[in-house]
Amino acid sequence: MQKQISNLDKLTLSNDFLFKHVMLRKRICKHILEELLHTQIADITYLEAEQTIDVYPDSHGIRLDVRIADAANTHYNLEMQVKNPVNRATGKFLLPKRTRYYQAMLDTDMLQKGQDYDELSPTYIIFFCLFDFFQDSQRIYTFKKRCLENMNIELADEAVIMFLNTLGTKGDVSPDIQSLFDYINSNTINSNFTREVADTIVEIKNDKKVRDAYMTYEMRMKDLRDEAHAEGLAEGKAQGLAEGKAEGLAEGKAEGLAEGKAKEKTATAKRLLSMGLSVEDIAKATSLSVEQVEAIEVE
């Protein structure tokens, strides 16, 4: 019997779901950290993979791909970043301030667990980026706080942020890290280490528990997209009603539905019909034809 191909089978290491499961293999994750930081790590402990930290009920929670502590109580947060996120309203890139927020949330989470501020663990926030955010072709960009008046003076807060540029050509990295970059970029296997990573991925994809978890993950992502769509539709309708103009209402609904699927348009049309709007207005608001709305009306 031929195995059914699912979306999971098509994933590569750059996918955050698969990246997380590969990093949960202790030998692979530990080796990557040792190669990146040029140090020996006795052991690592997984604090909680894909943990969401909500420090306060009304705060903006963050989802962490993989969070780790080593035997020396240094904490690591590993993230896969495929795209360079930007605020559409301001045009500003989000990654720098995202690292600032991640760091603040990690520290606050540790303090809530009973540590004093002077006991905060050393931290590394590590982003695997499939783009060169700083446009300097460095393979690794490492950030620590330094005095602008004298760059030899470091603020020893033990917080480090690293951006790994898989497309980089400058700076030295170990052969295994470079082979990992090549594998992330093009699935090229050119070392024993990437062979191990590739074999691990095959094993992960054949694991029934992982396949079931991915189905749940896909449904959760769909729910989040649906929620975002519904919020966009609601905001559009509210804006249109506030202006008190028919075209404002239509434009608001059209904006919310711009990227919606056909079934979402149908569901919206049904709700608007129940509200007593005309077929013509609904057709304009949903980008459906009048004939399509009339067909929905008689269902």
Side-chain angles (χ1 to χ4, degrees), residues 172-239:
D172 294 330
V173 294
S174 72
D176 277 356
I177 292 299
Q178 183 58 56
S179 69
L180 180 65
F181 287 176
D182 294 339
Y183 184 72
I184 291 173
N185 291 332
S186 61
N187 281 336
T188 301
I189 299 172
N190 53 22
S191 70
N192 291 334
F193 179 58
T194 48
R195 168 51 63 191
E196 179 182 358
V197 171
D199 290 344
T200 299
I201 288 175
V202 172
E203 181 182 336
I204 288 171
K205 289 181 177 181
N206 288 328
D207 187 322
K208 185 180 183 303
K209 290 184 179 179
V210 175
R211 300 184 77 84
D212 291 344
Y214 184 68
M215 289 180 62
T216 302
Y217 170 84
E218 281 192 308
M219 288 188 288
R220 185 176 64 184
M221 291 299 102
K222 182 182 181 302
D223 288 343
L224 290 174
R225 288 193 295 269
D226 290 346
E227 289 174 9
H229 167 79
E231 289 175 2
L233 175 61
E235 289 175 4
K237 286 193 288 187
Q239 181 180 357

Side-chain angles (χ1 to χ4, degrees), residues 56-67:
Y56 303 108
D58 58 348
S59 69
H60 181 71
I62 60 173
R63 182 181 61 80
L64 305 180
D65 281 350
V66 183
R67 189 178 174 202

Side-chain angles (χ1 to χ4, degrees), residues 9 15-16 26 33 43 56 69 81 97 99 101 134 147 153 157 181 193 207 231 253 273 280 282:
D9 297 303
N15 175 270
D16 59 354
K26 183 179 288 189
L33 292 175
D43 193 16
Y56 303 108
Q81 193 72 40
K97 287 191 177 179
T99 64
Y101 190 71
F134 300 99
C147 175
I153 301 176
D157 62 354
F181 287 176
F193 179 58
D207 187 322
E231 289 175 2
K253 285 184 282 190
L273 283 167
E280 291 76 12
I282 294 172

Side-chain angles (χ1 to χ4, degrees), residues 237 241 253 270-277:
K237 286 193 288 187
L241 289 170
K253 285 184 282 190
K270 288 181 179 179
R271 288 195 296 271
L272 296 179
L273 283 167
S274 68
M275 294 167 59
L277 273 71

Side-chain angles (χ1 to χ4, degrees), residues 233-280:
L233 175 61
E235 289 175 4
K237 286 193 288 187
Q239 181 180 357
L241 289 170
E243 294 174 355
K245 297 179 181 179
E247 64 266 27
L249 176 61
E251 287 172 5
K253 285 184 282 190
E255 181 179 349
L257 290 167
E259 296 180 359
K261 298 179 181 179
K263 62 181 182 180
E264 293 172 331
K265 291 183 179 182
T266 300
T268 301
K270 288 181 179 179
R271 288 195 296 271
L272 296 179
L273 283 167
S274 68
M275 294 167 59
L277 273 71
S278 70
V279 170
E280 291 76 12

